[in-house]
Amino acid sequence: MAADKQNDVKVSLMEENKENLPDGGLGLEILQIIKESQQQHGLRHGDYQRYRGYCSRRLRRLRKTLGFKMGNRHKFVGKKVTVEMLSDNRYLLLVLMEAERAWSYAMQLKQEANTEPRKRFHLLARLRKAAKHSEKLEKLCESPRVDAKTKLEAQAYTAYLTGMVEFELQEWKQAMEAFNKCKTIYEKLASAFTEDLAVLYRQRVDEISPNIRYCAYNIGDQNAINDLMQMRLTGGGGGMMAEKLEALITQARTKQAATMSEVEWRGRTVPVKIDKARVFLLGLADNEAAIAQAANEETKEHLYETLLAECRDTIQAVKEELKTEAKQRERSSDGDTGKVSNLQYLHSYLTYIKLCTLVKRNESMAHTLQAKLKEPEADENKRGPRPQDLIRLYDIILQSLAELSTLQGLEDDHTFQKEVSLKTLVYKAYRCFFIAQSYVLVKKWSEALVLYERVLKYAKEVQSKAKSLNNSLKDLPDVQELIAEVNAEKYSLQAALNFLFPMIPMLSSPHFFFTQPLCDHLETFRFDPTLVGKQPSLVQFPPDFQPIPCKPLFFDLALNHVAFPPLDDKVEQKGKGGLTGYIKGIFGFGS
């Protein structure tokens, strides 16, 4: 809250100092203010409740600063901002924040309405409230005290919120007119001002365009569906529009699914009676085409996840039908339990689609990581991709292929089993190649050479088996490129080892030590990789102790050969008297 308050004070003072110039009139950067506020207070993560709380706190601070209080703690007295009050642009900001608070509450209720449909009525009420506040802002901006740019932005903001209300009410014609008005104003503003502001205006135009296309489709323009599909491929139309677009596509497929009754796969025709399976299979080709035409990797990943989610839901629906069919078979003893039923074969087909999509998705991610792996690292502190990341992806691919070979109804299909076996060999070769790359990084060159030979063995086996299965290689990575890359890596590694192996006798010599500093062998060449590292061994520090001459010590050896005269007569004799001597000693007679 303290940070919010500090930011608001800075923004308010900056706007006041900027817009209260004598020749410019009052002004307010409406779109810039709301975009910055939304990004800084929750909408970057879709948290509308947090943004609504921010708007409420900012409103309270603005009212307190302007002295625009609604009564006191005991009684509420409503006030309205009038044209006569427009001596400060913060009055306009006050109305703008009221509209933003109502709009953010409506968006919060829209998220909650997915599980609680009754909240839709409250949602519409808050959206109308936001549009009402925006109309009030537009009327205030009609004052001659407000500059022309702010007037245009207020009109565009009002048109946008009005269009949102009509869009929710499914009044497509009125919504389209409001959005078109908003789009026209922002396009004019983008062409008239600096590039920084023009970027904001163009972003708003891009947000509105999917809504306009959707309204046009619902009015009756059949060509608009193609524009919407193209926007889906480029990742446009996020949030509320994305949900509407997915619902529209599902609705269109449901209408077409009524004509679909069966599907043919691997020479067997299977009737499709489940509506969810019909819708999914009907849109499968469109989804695959959308993935192939995706503009970037992020959009492609999103489309893959959407397709996999739909496939899982369809498989779950088929599983429920399989349970019902199993119960019916238990009751009747006439069924042929040895043959795979049509429903079980349909389940195998859908599982095949899911597993193949998983393989394609992980292969796409692997190609992206390989491209990044070949690029030089721009930032040493930032962790880049490593061969271990690719090994994990190829492990998942091999696991999916192992599941493919166990699908019910395809155990006796030898062509299918050969195709799966061939694909497994290809991805094993790639996995083995990146394991070798990881060994090279840790300088285990012998292990890497053995693994490179294993890659070549896999690749040659693929080439020998692919002669009878030419159609199976069209979707697989090119093995010939892998062979060329392995040979290049192997030859460079062998060249490095040919340089190092002659050094091995020298390295085992007792006269050669890697730990020797450079100053100790300046006249001879020693292979020491630490010299080009961050801590080269140049000198030994601290140096070893060395013996030095010390000051001589003198010892008196003549003392052992000197004969001293007797001193017995000089030594005092101890008295002998017993008790008599003791008494004499007391009274001093013996002295």
Side-chain angles (χ1 to χ4, degrees):
M1 283 188 187
D4 296 347
K5 187 171 183 179
Q6 188 177 3
N7 291 336
D8 292 344
V9 171
K10 287 181 181 178
V11 171
S12 299
L13 290 174
M14 183 175 65
E15 291 164 358
E16 184 178 2
N17 294 333
K18 177 182 175 182
E19 305 295 350
N20 285 343
L21 297 175
D23 57 344
L26 288 175
L28 196 67
E29 301 284 351
I30 294 176
L31 186 60
Q32 184 177 1
I33 289 171
I34 62 176
K35 282 294 182 183
E36 289 178 356
S37 300
Q38 289 173 0
Q39 290 297 311
Q40 293 174 8
H41 300 95
L43 260 64
R44 185 176 297 176
H45 310 291
D47 191 349
Y48 292 99
Q49 185 175 5
R50 178 184 164 195
Y51 180 57
R52 179 166 70 97
Y54 162 75
C55 292
S56 299
R57 295 192 301 272
R58 189 167 188 181
L59 274 171
R60 186 165 59 250
R61 289 193 294 271
L62 284 171
R63 286 178 181 142
K64 185 176 180 180
T65 305
L66 296 170
F68 193 76
K69 297 181 179 179
M70 301 290 194
N72 51 38
R73 67 179 64 183
H74 303 294
K75 185 179 180 182
F76 172 79
V77 179
K79 286 186 181 180
K80 292 184 180 180
V81 180
T82 60
V83 177
E84 290 76 15
M85 295 180 182
L86 294 181
S87 58
D88 193 331
N89 64 347
R90 283 177 291 181
Y91 286 103
L92 298 176
L93 185 61
L94 189 70
V95 183
L96 177 63
M97 284 296 107
E98 288 178 342
E100 280 294 291
R101 180 175 63 175
W103 172 82
S104 60
Y105 194 10
M107 294 299 102
Q108 177 191 341
L109 290 168
K110 184 170 184 61
Q111 290 179 336
E112 298 171 358
N114 294 328
T115 55
E116 301 177 59
R118 290 290 303 172
K119 289 193 174 182
R120 178 171 170 75
F121 298 102
H122 195 185
L123 150 70
L124 292 171
R126 298 315 298 175
L127 264 183
R128 290 193 185 98
K129 189 75 170 178
K132 185 177 179 181
H133 285 304
S134 66
E135 291 172 0
K136 187 195 301 184
L137 177 63
E138 183 182 358
K139 288 180 181 178
L140 290 172
C141 290
E142 291 174 358
S143 169
R145 301 181 186 182
V146 181
D147 61 13
K149 179 185 173 185
T150 307
K151 291 179 181 179
L152 286 173
E153 285 208 45
Q155 291 175 11
Y157 184 65
T158 303
Y160 175 74
L161 289 181
T162 304
M164 293 288 285
V165 175
E166 301 296 341
F167 193 90
E168 284 297 322
L169 293 171
Q170 298 185 3
E171 298 290 341
W172 308 118
K173 187 175 182 180
Q174 292 86 335
M176 185 175 177
E177 291 174 357
F179 285 135
N180 276 325
K181 179 182 177 181
C182 178
K183 180 182 177 182
T184 303
I185 294 173
Y186 281 130
E187 286 176 344
K188 295 294 182 183
L189 287 170
S191 61
F193 289 94
T194 60
E195 186 62 27
D196 293 338
L197 290 175
V199 170
L200 282 174
Y201 296 137
R202 292 193 193 104
Q203 286 177 355
R204 178 65 92 178
V205 170
D206 292 340
E207 291 174 10
I208 296 169
S209 296
N211 296 358
I212 296 173
R213 297 288 188 278
Y214 189 81
C215 293
Y217 172 78
N218 283 283
I219 289 172
D221 185 2
Q222 296 299 323
N223 295 325
I225 187 64
N226 298 326
D227 296 334
L228 288 170
M229 293 296 293
Q230 193 63 32
M231 288 178 182
R232 180 173 178 247
L233 296 181
T234 56
M240 178 180 67
M241 192 57 222
E243 298 175 4
K244 295 279 187 183
L245 183 56
E246 293 297 334
L248 173 65
I249 294 170
T250 304
Q251 181 182 1
R253 287 174 183 168
T254 304
K255 291 179 181 178
Q256 298 174 4
T259 60
M260 181 181 183
S261 58
E262 59 186 19
V263 64
E264 184 178 354
W265 181 54
R266 304 202 69 84
R268 179 173 173 176
T269 303
V270 181
V272 183
K273 300 178 181 179
I274 304 171
D275 292 337
K276 197 158 193 173
R278 288 179 180 177
V279 172
F280 172 74
L281 293 173
L282 194 64
L284 180 61
D286 293 337
N287 284 327
E288 290 177 347
I291 290 170
Q293 299 172 11
N296 50 52
E297 292 299 325
E298 185 178 354
T299 305
K300 184 181 289 188
E301 180 67 20
H302 172 71
L303 292 173
Y304 269 126
E305 291 297 332
T306 303
L307 177 58
L308 285 171
E310 292 177 1
C311 190
R312 292 188 190 101
D313 293 342
T314 307
I315 290 174
Q316 187 60 35
V318 174
K319 282 183 178 178
E320 296 296 330
E321 292 294 327
L322 278 172
K323 291 178 183 178
T324 306
E325 185 184 57
K327 291 179 181 178
Q328 291 176 354
R329 280 188 176 184
E330 289 176 0
R331 293 172 185 170
S332 62
S333 57
D334 300 334
D336 185 10
T337 56
K339 184 180 178 182
V340 177
S341 66
N342 288 331
L343 199 58
Q344 183 61 56
Y345 199 76
L346 177 62
H347 180 268
S348 297
Y349 177 45
L350 293 172
T351 307
Y352 169 81
I353 293 171
K354 185 191 78 170
L355 293 173
C356 287
T357 305
L358 275 172
V359 170
K360 291 177 183 177
R361 186 198 67 174
N362 289 311
E363 187 182 352
S364 174
M365 293 171 66
H367 283 311
T368 305
L369 282 176
Q370 286 180 42
K372 291 181 180 179
L373 199 62
K374 294 177 182 179
E375 295 176 357
E377 293 185 5
D379 187 4
E380 294 183 356
N381 298 325
K382 186 178 180 181
R383 179 190 177 277
R386 297 180 299 175
Q388 289 86 338
D389 302 330
L390 287 157
I391 294 169
R392 175 60 183 157
L393 288 175
Y394 283 111
D395 280 336
I396 298 172
I397 289 174
L398 290 172
Q399 184 180 354
S400 300
L401 291 174
E403 292 180 24
L404 274 176
S405 60
T406 60
L407 289 177
Q408 279 190 319
L410 298 174
E411 299 90 345
D412 300 331
D413 192 338
H414 300 294
T415 304
F416 177 78
Q417 297 295 337
K418 287 180 180 179
E419 290 175 358
V420 173
S421 176
L422 184 64
K423 292 177 182 179
T424 303
L425 280 175
V426 172
Y427 290 115
K428 273 186 177 180
Y430 272 91
R431 178 179 175 273
C432 190
F433 172 73
F434 287 108
I435 293 175
Q437 293 285 79
S438 65
Y439 274 112
V440 170
L441 289 179
V442 295
K443 299 181 181 179
K444 292 186 177 181
W445 297 300
S446 301
E447 292 87 342
L449 276 175
V450 173
L451 288 168
Y452 282 142
E453 293 296 336
R454 178 68 62 86
V455 174
L456 292 176
K457 177 186 174 184
Y458 282 141
K460 290 176 182 176
E461 193 174 349
V462 168
Q463 288 179 333
S464 63
K465 289 185 177 181
K467 295 177 182 178
S468 59
L469 297 170
N470 292 327
N471 295 330
S472 301
L473 285 175
K474 60 182 180 180
D475 296 331
L476 293 175
D478 191 359
V479 182
Q480 196 61 40
E481 290 183 4
L482 180 63
I483 293 174
E485 192 171 358
V486 168
N487 285 328
E489 293 287 340
K490 189 176 72 170
Y491 295 150
S492 62
L493 191 58
Q494 287 175 344
L497 288 174
N498 289 334
F499 171 72
L500 289 176
F501 282 148
M503 304 289 293
I504 292 176
M506 188 189 303
L507 297 178
S508 60
S509 173
H511 302 289
F512 187 92
F513 298 96
F514 280 103
T515 57
Q516 277 188 325
L518 180 63
C519 65
D520 293 344
H521 54 85
L522 292 174
E523 295 81 10
T524 57
F525 171 75
R526 303 288 174 88
F527 182 73
D528 190 355
T530 62
L531 292 177
V532 293
K534 294 183 178 180
Q535 296 180 348
S537 178
L538 303 177
V539 295
Q540 184 173 352
F541 185 83
D544 292 335
F545 290 103
Q546 294 182 0
I548 59 173
C550 298
K551 182 179 178 180
L553 300 176
F554 295 95
F555 298 95
D556 191 0
L557 301 178
L559 182 62
N560 298 331
H561 302 281
V562 174
F564 293 97
L567 300 175
D568 295 338
D569 55 339
K570 301 293 184 182
V571 177
E572 182 180 359
Q573 294 293 329
K574 191 171 181 181
K576 300 178 181 178
L579 181 60
T580 307
Y582 175 72
I583 296 172
K584 287 181 180 180
I586 293 175
F587 295 103
F589 297 140
S591 59

